[in-house]
Amino acid sequence: MIPGAVERRIFVVGAPRSGTTLVQSLLAAHSALTSFTESHFFSRHYRRVRLVETALLTRDPLPRCEEFLRENGVDARLAAELLAEMRSAVAPWPRRPLRSRPVARAFVAGLDRLAIARGRTGWVEKTPRHLRFVPFLDGVLATAPRPRFIHVVREGLDVVASLAAASRAWGESLGLKDCARRWNSDLALSCERIGSPRDHFVVYEELAAAPEVVVGRLLDALGLDREPEMLAAYPGAARRVVTEAESWKSGVGRPIVPSRPAAEALDPAQREGVRRLLRHDLHARLVRAARGGADTDATESS
């Protein structure tokens, strides 16, 4: 690897309210890595084409790129250079979709430059909905360093309760059924990546119960040295990746303890109704994958 080049590109994905910000913040506390506010780059500007596992650029990403650079305190000179490079990659409609792959590479190259400017050899990008673009990103970024994808998995009841509450701050007010469907569909996408050498799975409950063990295992998988001071440094890293507008992330940075929002937010009838909607089999497969166990379902279907 040439001096000053990025060695690791890491995407943290998963169902929203699964603990993705916690995992992002812990990794951002490593001396080799840096991270950013949620970019929403692919989720807001690309449309996923499911049948051929690709994605097409359908919206102009430049306004969001400007906002993203401001959120992350990028100095004016570097911001201007990155925006100029992005502007040269983006084409006006109707040719814009034809530039989908070059624009994706330009965005990733911009993250590389931000990491290098911060004196780091790797970066962590965390936007939960980028889970839907993992196959596209894996194909587009086919040269070294290949991307790694960390899927965060959490019990469905707690995700549904937390997502329903957070959605009110987003102006969406999602119902419990909608949240359950979202959890099911996101877990199904993560299950499709079981067996990939570039995909890793973290179970939120295991992380909250034994952060040193789970973080250490993840660092080993990523080829990074273990740094015991990461847990002490993680609150500061969390503050740097959360914006003032993200009130639903207020708990990130506090001491890591298991959280069970379903027990507080849902009554017994609601909990039972949600349980019936959830694909517990998908959750079980991902927990096995996180623990390094064989994926029986995948083996039987192959």
Side-chain angles (χ1 to χ4, degrees), residues 279-294:
R279 290 287 307 275
H280 302 285
D281 58 317
L282 299 179
H283 182 261
R285 288 180 62 191
L286 291 167
V287 170
R288 287 198 299 272
R291 295 173 180 171

Side-chain angles (χ1 to χ4, degrees), residues 17-98:
R17 311 304 297 158
S18 290
T20 53
T21 307
L22 173 60
V23 172
Q24 172 195 22
S25 302
L26 285 164
L27 289 174
H30 194 281
S31 63
L33 302 175
T34 189
S35 193
F36 322 97
T37 57
E38 290 187 21
S39 74
H40 304 285
F41 187 81
F42 299 98
S43 58
R44 290 184 182 176
H45 308 104
Y46 280 71
R47 178 174 296 172
R48 181 167 165 257
V49 183
R50 184 73 175 86
L51 292 178
V52 289
E53 295 293 11
T54 192
L56 296 177
L57 179 68
T58 57
R59 297 180 60 192
D60 182 3
L62 288 169
R64 173 55 192 157
C65 287
E66 292 185 50
E67 183 182 41
F68 175 74
L69 294 171
R70 287 195 301 270
E71 288 175 356
N72 290 279
V74 179
D75 71 76
R77 181 177 177 179
L78 178 56
E81 292 176 1
L82 293 175
L83 287 171
E85 292 171 3
M86 181 60 70
R87 193 172 290 110
S88 67
V90 176
W93 195 263
R95 292 188 297 111
R96 184 173 296 151
L98 300 177

